Amino acid sequence: MVQAKRWLFLVHRWLGVLLCAFFAMWFISGVVMMYVGYPKLTPAERLEHLPGLQDTPVLLEPAQALAAAGLPGPLQDLRLAVASAGRAVYLATPVHELVGARGKNARLPGSSTVVIDAGTGTVLAGVDASHALASAAAYAGPQVAMHHQGTVQEDAFTHSRALYAHRPLHRVQLEDAAGTLLYVSGTTGEVVRDATRTERIWNFAGAWIHWLYPFRGNMFNAYWTDIVNWLSILGIAVTMLGAVVGVLRWRFTGTYRNGRHSPYPGTMMRWHHTAGLVFAAITLTWIFSGLMSMNPWRIFDSGAAPLRAAAMHGGPLVLPAQPARVEALLAAAPANVRELRWTRTADHTLVQAKVPGASATLLDAASARVHTWQPGELEAAAARLLPAPVERIDTLHAYDTYYYTRDAHTMGGGAEKPLPVLRVVFADAQASWVHLDPHTGTVLGRIDSHRRVSRWLFGMLHSWDWIPLLALRPLWDIVMIVLSLGGAALSLTGVVIGWRRLGTKLRAVRRQASPQAAASPLRPDTA
């Protein structure tokens, strides 16, 4: 029994020496991430920075532009915006490039996008520095100086799967008050990410270090997932061992000869012991939930078949035989429209006219009249998304545990989460729920039983994104900061103890080696 305890203490001690620095880093960087997130360009930001379509001449109708580009076939998506080099362009995605949401041949967004100049019908063949600067100038607005910083495949602020299709990325530094760095797609010429000076500076103490991004984009890139997973697993082990050691060494009744419940004479050891007993549970919770964020070994993948979007919408996007002219669509849309998007939705060919800060106006692609859904029409179309029967359809007028929004800077924040929303509950093996925008008919997402478990094991345990608590801010902030500081205290005392322990061991080794070296005869070549 004594030998087992000794091994327990030794394993905890030396694993702690290795891992406490990571623990401290995770706790401190987690507090930074509460207020400054990893750079991203949200849909709302992108729309806000697009120039107005009414102010830009559009000489070609969609069918003319597609014909000029040699794209007669059906489409997955078609957009018109002043999105590339400050010019109005059509961005078309051929349907044959997209197999399904999770099909093995699925392509990333943007990977097959064809960019067509709406004035000349010219297809974009490549993005050079002048093109990137023109896109950045349209994004930044007038009288903002800027300079091109070259291209990168990936850097500290672009570790994102969503950007794979846009690489290489052009870096354009704006001389604005925020010191904004723009990233322009090397394939479409669109601005795809912005990072202010504040975001860049704080990210080195926040998301960049928290997610161990120093191991991305270099020789360790292929092992990044394994590094995060195994550090987390070792962290769970050392925390559990520490909790056991702490309980074994704490006298709940009576005291040691020093008059305290903890046997350790040193201040750091006592603080570490006490902090460990108080904050071990939250430390274990956060390390475990951090591991769950990685979906280790795909434990949250249910293997469900992809949604049958084509079945719901009645096939791919094909323009009407007599489509409404762009001029008519813009006249029917609200003022300051920034983007027109042609879609095939629930057996209708429609156009979404998008303006900043408001819901898209839905127009009929043939008549340019405002489109309204017939009662039950969207629900009937949504039932075709999966072969399983629909169990029920709920209308949510408020956010709940599984459909909610967070601040734009947070990991899951910034996505479009409109209300009200339809929740289509299917009676399939995976108990799938599909959320549908009842205004535009857009499928907003799918969450099955595996992902609902992930929401609790990651979202709730790691970010504490519990709606009642989030509604009581700054109480959420206070709770998170106090617990993080407690975990940091536990970790930092462990760092100090480990550093001292290593120093003691190294000095002992040097003392043992020194007499042996003095007694050794000199070799001829050193005499």
Side-chain angles (χ1 to χ4, degrees):
M1 183 66 178
V2 174
Q3 190 68 14
K5 282 186 178 181
R6 175 173 173 76
W7 275 108
L8 185 68
F9 296 162
L10 287 173
V11 171
H12 171 67
R13 174 189 300 165
W14 293 111
L15 274 179
V17 168
L18 172 67
L19 293 170
C20 272
F22 284 97
F23 291 179
M25 174 270 293
W26 278 328
F27 279 114
I28 295 169
S29 60
V31 173
V32 174
M33 290 173 65
M34 289 170 57
Y35 304 102
V36 182
Y38 195 64
K40 67 174 74 170
L41 183 67
T42 67
E45 283 180 308
R46 185 189 72 87
L47 205 62
E48 180 68 38
H49 284 277
L50 287 177
L53 269 175
Q54 283 101 335
D55 302 327
T56 305
V58 178
L59 302 181
L60 298 180
E61 297 299 318
Q64 295 172 320
L66 294 173
L71 294 175
L75 304 174
Q76 174 73 19
D77 191 57
L78 178 64
R79 294 180 288 133
L80 172 63
V82 185
S84 189
R87 301 192 295 266
V89 294
Y90 288 98
L91 298 107
T93 305
V95 73
H96 63 269
E97 295 286 353
L98 292 166
V99 175
R102 292 183 184 176
K104 64 181 180 180
N105 295 322
R107 301 288 293 274
L108 293 168
S111 60
S112 59
T113 299
V114 179
V115 182
I116 312 163
D117 191 304
T120 64
T122 304
V123 175
L124 178 65
V127 177
D128 57 16
S130 61
H131 190 116
L133 284 168
S135 294
Y139 179 97
Q143 299 180 342
V144 177
M146 63 192 67
H147 58 275
H148 188 264
Q149 292 188 336
T151 61
V152 293
Q153 286 293 331
E154 190 170 355
D155 66 9
F157 310 111
T158 56
H159 299 305
S160 173
R161 186 175 182 271
L163 296 176
Y164 284 178
H166 296 286
R167 304 187 196 281
L169 301 169
H170 291 261
R171 288 166 48 107
V172 179
Q173 179 66 61
L174 303 186
E175 308 257 343
D176 60 349
T180 307
L181 178 63
L182 298 182
Y183 292 86
V184 179
S185 169
T187 56
T188 67
E190 300 172 276
V191 174
V192 291
R193 175 149 298 186
D194 62 352
T196 65
R197 183 188 303 107
T198 299
E199 286 177 324
R200 298 196 303 275
I201 292 173
W202 279 104
N203 256 270
F204 287 112
W208 182 78
I209 190 68
H210 190 86
W211 292 337
L212 301 186
Y213 277 171
F215 295 108
R216 293 290 302 271
N218 50 41
M219 60 184 292
F220 298 105
N221 192 72
Y223 309 103
W224 173 76
T225 299
D226 290 330
I227 291 171
V228 177
N229 286 346
W230 283 107
L231 280 175
S232 300
I233 291 169
L234 288 174
I236 292 169
V238 75
T239 305
M240 294 178 69
L241 288 173
V244 173
V245 170
V247 170
L248 289 175
R249 298 292 282 166
W250 187 268
R251 286 192 174 172
F252 293 91
T253 58
T255 60
Y256 288 92
R257 282 183 296 180
N258 62 11
R260 297 185 175 91
H261 295 282
S262 174
Y264 302 110
T267 302
M268 280 294 165
M269 286 294 294
R270 286 202 309 273
W271 285 2
H272 185 71
H273 191 187
T274 305
L277 291 173
V278 175
F279 294 104
I282 191 62
T283 301
L284 179 63
T285 297
W286 269 332
I287 296 174
F288 170 76
S289 57
L291 174 63
M292 294 300 100
S293 74
M294 297 296 293
N295 187 19
W297 304 285
R298 300 194 172 276
I299 60 174
F300 298 121
D301 290 358
S302 64
L307 297 178
R308 303 187 303 182
M312 173 188 170
H313 297 312
L317 172 63
V318 177
L319 295 178
Q322 297 293 328
R325 294 179 61 82
V326 169
E327 183 181 5
L329 293 169
L330 293 176
N336 202 26
V337 65
R338 305 298 176 89
E339 183 176 74
L340 296 179
R341 182 187 177 201
W342 284 257
T343 68
R344 181 68 176 172
T345 310
D347 302 312
H348 296 275
T349 303
L350 305 172
V351 179
Q352 296 180 18
K354 298 185 176 184
V355 297
S359 299
T361 298
L362 212 57
L363 304 172
D364 184 275
S367 66
R369 290 193 294 267
V370 173
H371 178 81
T372 56
W373 299 104
Q374 297 301 313
E377 187 176 13
L378 267 180
E379 291 83 345
R384 304 196 293 260
L385 283 168
L386 288 172
V390 173
E391 191 173 284
R392 69 179 189 276
I393 298 179
D394 302 323
T395 301
L396 305 183
H397 294 278
Y399 295 120
D400 70 358
T401 301
Y402 299 104
Y403 181 81
Y404 60 97
T405 187
R406 291 293 310 273
D407 292 339
H409 71 270
T410 60
M411 183 175 177
E416 295 179 336
K417 292 290 185 72
L419 285 173
V421 68
L422 297 180
R423 174 178 287 161
V424 185
V425 179
F426 287 91
D428 61 333
Q430 290 78 25
S432 299
W433 298 354
V434 177
H435 292 107
L436 193 72
D437 184 349
H439 174 59
T440 64
T442 302
V443 175
L444 300 171
R446 172 188 188 174
I447 180 170
D448 57 27
S449 57
H450 288 64
R451 291 294 170 178
R452 290 195 288 277
V453 172
S454 171
R455 182 263 179 273
W456 284 100
L457 295 183
F458 168 52
M460 177 60 192
L461 292 183
H462 206 70
S463 303
W464 287 38
D465 50 2
W466 183 43
I467 304 299
L469 182 59
L470 289 170
L472 294 176
R473 295 188 72 174
L475 178 60
W476 176 86
D477 302 71
I478 294 170
V479 170
M480 295 290 283
I481 290 173
V482 168
L483 293 177
S484 297
L485 291 177
L490 167 64
S491 308
L492 289 171
T493 52
V495 170
V496 174
I497 294 166
W499 182 260
R500 289 176 177 174
R501 174 71 63 174
L502 283 174
T504 301
K505 292 291 184 182
L506 290 174
R507 285 192 295 271
V509 169
R510 284 198 296 267
R511 281 197 301 268
Q512 291 174 0
S514 182
Q516 296 172 3
S520 301
L522 290 175
R523 293 176 302 181
D525 61 346
T526 60

